[in-house]
Structures are given as C-alpha cells and as structure tokens.
Amino acid sequence: MRPEAPMSQVFSEETHRNLLARIPHCTGREISDWLRTVEEGPALLRFEEKVSWLRHEHNLAYGHAKAIIHEYDLRRAARKLL
C-alpha cells in the first residue's frame, strides 16, 4: 500500500503556476492579497478546511482556492527554513 501524497502536492508545478497567474484576472485581487487573507483568517489546520473556508467565505472556485492555499503553505514552509 502506497502512502497518499499530501493534499497540497496534487497540482504539478506548471499547473500551480498557471492557476496563480490567472487568479488576479479572475478574482480582481493579487496573490499577495489572498495570502494575507489566509494569514489573517481562521486558524484552520487541515489543507481542505482552508480551501473550503476560502471557497465559501470568498466565493472562489475550487481550483483557485486550492492554488492559493498551496502557495500559502509553500511560502510558510520556506520561511521556516530560513
């Protein structure tokens, strides 16, 4: 039995970058604004909980919410490495 990949690893890097590039056009807000929204939002622990919160609170498409949370997690992990 193979272990499941973390939820934040579902997108390929190319797909993730393409989604991020489209988010400002589709939502009218820059990625930095969305990352700040996540940072200031509720202290949810699970990836899918964060995605669900963004979708319902801010009326985002699933793919956009997932890309934002994935980017947030990537950047948070990078800060911990510094």
Side-chain angles (χ1 to χ4, degrees):
M1 183 176 205
R2 161 174 84 109
E4 287 187 33
M7 287 302 295
S8 62
Q9 300 298 323
V10 173
F11 292 137
S12 72
E13 185 63 26
E14 180 181 2
T15 300
H16 177 66
R17 293 289 155 219
N18 288 337
L19 275 168
L20 286 181
R22 289 194 303 262
I23 287 172
H25 173 74
C26 295
T27 67
R29 291 177 62 185
E30 295 298 320
I31 296 300
S32 59
D33 292 338
W34 284 115
L35 297 176
R36 192 170 25 261
T37 297
V38 174
E39 182 71 28
E40 295 170 355
L44 302 171
L45 299 177
R46 297 183 63 224
F47 183 85
E48 285 297 327
E49 289 175 326
K50 295 175 194 176
V51 170
S52 182
W53 172 76
L54 264 185
R55 289 184 68 212
H56 293 96
E57 189 72 22
H58 297 281
N59 201 30
L60 289 177
Y62 178 73
H64 291 154
K66 196 169 174 180
I68 291 166
I69 297 302
H70 180 64
E71 185 66 16
Y72 176 82
D73 287 348
L74 288 174
R75 293 184 186 195
R76 189 179 66 190
R79 283 194 310 259
K80 288 182 179 179
L81 292 176
L82 297 176

